[in-house]
Amino acid sequence: MSHPMTTRIAARFAALKEEGRPALVTFITAGDPDAETSLGILHALPGAGADIIELGIPFTDPMADGPAIQAAGLRALKGGQTLAKTLAMVKMFRMEEQATPIVLMGYYNPIYVYGVERFLADAREAGVDGLIIVDLPPEEDDELCLPALRAGIDFIRLATPTTDDKRLPTVLKHTAGFVYYVSITGITGSATPDADVVGRAVARIKAHTDLPVAVGFGVKTPEQAKAIAAGADGVVVGSALVEAVRHTLDREGQATANTVPAVEALVGSLSEAVRSVHR
Amino acid sequence: MNAPNSYRTGPDDGGHFGIHGGRFVAETLMPLILELEAAYKAARADPGFQTEMDSYLSHYVGRPSPLYFAERLTEHLRQISAASGRNGGAKVYLKREELNHTGSHKVNNVLGQILLARRMGKTRIIAETGAGQHGVATATLCARFGLPCVVYMGAVDVERQAPNVFRMKLLGAEVVPVQSGSRTLKDAMNEALRDWVSNVSDTFYCIGTVAGPHPYPSMVRDFQSIIGRETRAQMQEMEGRLPDSLVAAVGGGSNAMGLFHEFLDEPGVEIFGVEAAGRGLETGEHAAAIMGGRPGVLHGNRTYLLMDGDGQIKEAHSISAGLDYPGIGPEHSWLNDVGRVKYIPCTDQEALDAFQLLTKLEGIIPALESAHAVAKVIELAPTRPKDHLMVVNLSGRGDKDVPQVAEILGASL
């Protein structure tokens, strides 16, 4: 397999810059509510307007996530999702789609137990472009960040409101692909960020790096996405999408004919909102 | 692995004990953890901090806790030894941490952390609790210093530790029953971390055991190590020498680290950590992270964990809510790896039997957690000679467990 000169993530942000608009980054949990439906959602995302896809690795103890993503992870685990199955899902997606970057997002333990070198080789082969691992701060870069960069996989770091100017260079040092700015001090899907405050924070980060900055945590509606995207290179929506999955499930928690279309429709309206932003 | 020159120098600057420990937390918390590390370092270097601690330890906690020669238990175990033809039976001493204010060793650590929180200007305290002992200790110190306190407790534990829940409420704490996951201690810790991420500016997270991201494991150990220092001095006074062996129950492992740390570099002292084997290691329904787990990363540190092949954390099981946790403090994991401490299992039934035996022989009702350690003393002491000095950490009192034990024994209250 030949390695492209620029990564898919860099190419996608470059293309969006040409278009003069921010990126819509969509998060779904792999295997939620079952492997087949989840793959169906994944296949539908680019067409619905997702520019970059974050695929959540389910974990029993997601310490940074709110109730919506916690529940999505438990649904996926109940359905038998594993890290190996998540990588297989990316492989299936890549057979049909080459341009849309996929970033795996989750916690370190499933990867540590899988084995870091084996994971990176398998992820690279499957077509994974980046990793966001919530519980690996720069202080633990030797664990996965540096091996991932050596393997040609972007390690995307979270910067938060508690990351001050003194600490930012530490956080940005080995960050690749883009910077994920966590818009609130809190868990996913909780408080709604203030677009002006976020815009100032993004400007602060951009003074330290040339990487694109995407903003997430707490962005739920097309209006919020539009407001946040106006001051950033991308906006991440997650909890709202896994909630859209949940709302379509039947009484036994099984997917229905509405599951994939509901997510598609929400991504469509988010995309429309984000595309109306000109930068 | 080669034996190090000293077992008491850890952790390194990154908080590692061998491969264990570290700082596996979200970026939002990382600056707070660095701030805590700096504040703790400054407090340690300040004699005024230790003076303040000592004053509260004497007058509020009631230290030193006695080292008590358990004469009737010793006699009983010598009879067992004689019956088996050995004619041995160690002299058993109880380190009476259950006599501390609030009824367990937990208060030693909470006092240190609350005084530190005050120095740092933090105005809101959060904590997780399993059996409720750490929650009660935290609620108590918060009442003493007029600080608002929120305690996260698994919904399952809220039910089986009702007396402690009411105590915390009386003390003015808000007790939040955690409904996520297995609804026990690990989930309470997840929820406390979520609270901390959401309330970074004013909140101090008072962790109850020698686990979590650096500096918690070593800080909590330091606050608890008064147990071992007193034990050394008391044993010197009573017997004129060091103990020959130490036994303590290990969930997260704070009472055990507190007793062990002082003696790690005394090669003549045998050390046993007792893990909760629940319904038996072979059943898979246990809380023995070292004996039944593998290294993994959870709650801010690498350590032995109970998990499946995909790295998903398994639910622990123990009769004792305080031991019902799928992990263990990273320093214990390291002490296991280097072979300094021997970790041994104790089942629910063995703990329950020891709970009753100690109560009848010594008039001391141990916490179900501490009963695990007592159970192994019952097993080990008869195999040792009569001049062997064995110290068991009686980390908590069992009043909180009386309703649960009554139910198991079929008594109606």
Side-chain angles (χ1 to χ4, degrees):
Chain A
M1 182 180 185
S2 71
H3 293 178
M5 289 296 285
T6 48
T7 66
R8 277 193 201 94
I9 294 173
R12 177 52 51 102
F13 275 107
L16 292 175
K17 200 170 181 181
E18 287 284 301
E19 276 185 52
R21 70 169 179 90
L24 173 64
V25 183
T26 57
F27 172 96
I28 60 165
T29 296
D32 171 32
D34 61 78
E36 195 191 332
T37 308
S38 189
L39 183 61
I41 295 170
L42 187 62
H43 279 308
L45 285 174
D51 298 307
I52 295 174
I53 296 167
E54 286 179 13
L55 190 57
I57 303 169
F59 183 48
T60 39
D61 295 77
M63 294 165 299
D65 285 304
I69 293 177
Q70 286 176 42
L74 291 181
R75 287 195 296 270
L77 290 173
K78 207 175 157 195
Q81 191 69 14
T82 61
L83 182 50
K85 286 182 185 174
T86 299
L87 291 170
M89 198 175 153
V90 176
K91 209 169 189 173
M92 299 281 282
F93 174 82
R94 276 282 168 258
M95 287 176 184
E96 293 189 8
E97 230 290 348
Q98 280 297 321
T100 304
I102 289 204
V103 173
L104 294 185
M105 181 164 185
Y107 297 82
Y108 185 38
N109 199 51
I111 294 171
Y112 177 68
V113 168
Y114 192 95
V116 166
E117 291 306 327
R118 180 179 156 230
F119 167 76
L120 289 171
D122 292 356
R124 175 86 208 189
E125 200 207 324
V128 170
D129 303 289
L131 300 173
I132 301 175
I133 306 301
V134 179
D135 53 354
L136 285 177
E139 282 72 7
E140 302 292 350
D141 267 356
D142 291 342
E143 296 283 340
L144 182 64
C145 172
L146 299 179
L149 294 177
R150 282 197 294 272
I153 295 179
D154 287 339
F155 198 85
I156 294 141
R157 190 85 69 194
L158 304 176
T160 72
T162 59
T163 315
D164 61 16
D165 282 328
K166 198 173 148 228
R167 184 168 165 80
L168 255 180
T170 308
V171 168
L172 296 173
K173 191 175 174 195
H174 294 123
T175 301
F178 62 96
V179 180
Y180 186 134
Y181 181 65
V182 176
S183 60
I184 51 163
T185 52
I187 52 180
T188 53
S190 55
T192 302
D194 179 314
D196 291 340
V197 175
V198 169
R200 284 197 294 279
V202 171
R204 181 169 71 90
I205 293 169
K206 290 183 86 71
H208 289 265
T209 180
D210 294 332
L211 288 171
V213 179
V215 177
F217 276 48
V219 184
K220 297 188 187 84
T221 64
E223 293 71 33
Q224 290 167 354
K226 186 178 170 180
I228 294 291
D233 302 307
V235 61
V236 189
V237 180
S239 296
L241 296 181
V242 303
E243 280 296 88
V245 170
R246 185 175 68 85
H247 286 138
T248 64
L249 302 180
D250 67 15
R251 264 189 227 160
E252 279 76 46
Q254 303 296 312
T256 61
N258 283 334
T259 304
V260 178
V263 177
E264 260 184 304
L266 179 53
V267 171
S269 60
L270 289 163
S271 171
E272 201 179 317
V274 169
R275 278 164 201 264
S276 71
V277 176
H278 297 284
R279 305 194 72 228
Chain B
M1 197 177 292
N2 291 328
N5 294 327
S6 169
Y7 293 98
R8 304 178 75 234
T9 56
D12 69 13
D13 289 343
H16 302 102
F17 300 93
I19 68 161
H20 303 285
R23 285 178 287 209
F24 297 89
V25 295
E27 172 60 22
T28 310
L29 293 181
M30 201 57 222
L32 281 72
I33 282 165
L34 294 173
E35 180 197 6
L36 174 65
E37 187 185 352
Y40 177 54
K41 215 179 231 176
R44 277 183 76 173
D46 176 0
F49 182 74
Q50 194 56 54
T51 307
E52 194 184 10
M53 280 274 295
D54 290 345
S55 170
Y56 285 109
L57 284 171
S58 308
H59 304 293
Y60 191 72
V61 175
R63 300 204 72 92
S65 70
L67 183 67
Y68 164 75
F69 171 45
E71 195 175 351
R72 292 195 69 217
L73 178 64
T74 299
E75 196 43 49
H76 175 78
L77 297 176
R78 283 180 176 168
Q79 282 169 17
I80 290 175
S81 185
S84 72
R86 283 175 190 270
N87 204 28
K91 236 179 139 174
V92 178
Y93 281 86
L94 310 181
K95 180 58 175 164
R96 303 284 308 274
E97 289 297 302
E98 102 281 9
L99 290 177
N100 293 333
H101 181 40
T102 75
S104 82
H105 71 290
K106 293 290 188 188
V107 70
N108 304 325
N109 162 49
V110 173
L111 173 66
Q113 290 199 49
I114 297 297
L115 293 180
L116 187 60
R118 280 160 55 84
R119 282 171 72 103
M120 293 173 74
K122 301 292 180 184
T123 55
R124 176 177 177 266
I125 307 296
I126 58 171
E128 84 295 334
T129 198
Q133 296 297 82
H134 174 60
V136 165
T138 308
T140 298
L141 269 300
C142 286
R144 169 62 186 77
F145 291 106
L147 292 163
C149 175
V150 179
V151 179
Y152 291 93
M153 189 169 187
V156 169
D157 296 336
V158 167
E159 236 168 76
R160 61 179 164 176
Q161 300 287 334
N164 271 346
V165 174
F166 187 61
R167 282 170 82 195
M168 288 185 269
K169 288 181 179 169
L170 277 176
L171 290 159
E174 182 191 343
V175 180
V176 181
V178 176
Q179 301 289 354
S180 60
S182 60
R183 302 185 296 149
T184 58
L185 181 52
K186 88 173 167 76
D187 310 286
M189 199 152 180
N190 289 334
E191 215 54 41
L193 285 164
R194 289 178 189 127
D195 180 311
W196 203 21
V197 167
S198 309
N199 299 283
V200 293
S201 57
D202 62 346
T203 297
F204 186 99
Y205 181 16
C206 183
I207 293 184
T209 192
V210 286
H214 177 63
Y216 282 101
S218 51
M219 178 174 73
V220 176
R221 173 201 72 199
D222 293 348
F223 289 143
Q224 290 293 1
S225 61
I226 189 165
I227 300 172
R229 288 197 303 276
E230 283 179 7
T231 299
R232 178 193 283 265
Q234 290 164 326
M235 192 57 96
Q236 187 64 36
E237 192 172 309
M238 296 168 85
E239 298 278 358
R241 64 181 183 89
L242 289 170
D244 296 297
S245 60
L246 310 171
V247 184
V250 183
S254 71
N255 91 77
M257 276 318 305
L259 176 64
F260 298 168
H261 193 250
E262 174 72 15
F263 299 100
L264 290 177
D265 285 342
E266 299 290 354
V269 181
E270 264 186 298
I271 307 181
F272 298 94
V274 182
E275 287 199 303
R279 299 191 172 98
L281 289 180
E282 69 290 349
T283 67
E285 292 181 64
H286 59 79
I290 285 181
M291 275 167 290
R294 286 172 298 144
V297 174
L298 179 70
H299 292 154
N301 56 192
R302 180 172 12 237
T303 193
Y304 283 95
L305 296 173
L306 302 179
M307 55 188 169
D308 70 13
D310 189 43
Q312 306 298 336
I313 307 304
K314 285 206 279 200
E315 293 180 18
H317 165 81
S318 170
I319 191 174
S320 144
L323 302 179
D324 203 344
Y325 180 70
I328 184 169
E331 193 166 9
H332 284 291
S333 292
W334 174 73
L335 288 168
N336 172 73
D337 290 354
V338 297
R340 177 62 187 98
V341 175
K342 191 162 194 274
Y343 293 86
I344 53 179
C346 171
T347 64
D348 288 349
Q349 188 59 51
E350 290 173 302
L352 198 58
D353 293 345
F355 177 93
Q356 295 170 80
L357 187 71
L358 189 73
T359 302
K360 285 196 176 117
L361 288 178
E362 296 290 348
I364 295 170
I365 304 177
L368 278 173
E369 291 76 24
S370 320
H372 284 72
V374 175
K376 292 297 111 169
V377 167
I378 293 169
E379 190 178 296
L380 290 166
T383 69
R384 300 297 193 272
K386 285 180 175 172
D387 61 355
H388 181 105
L389 306 177
M390 184 174 282
V391 175
V392 56
N393 197 356
L394 208 70
S395 55
R397 66 176 182 228
D399 307 46
K400 68 182 175 66
D401 299 312
V402 167
Q404 188 194 352
V405 172
E407 198 186 315
I408 294 167
L409 299 179
S412 57
L413 293 180

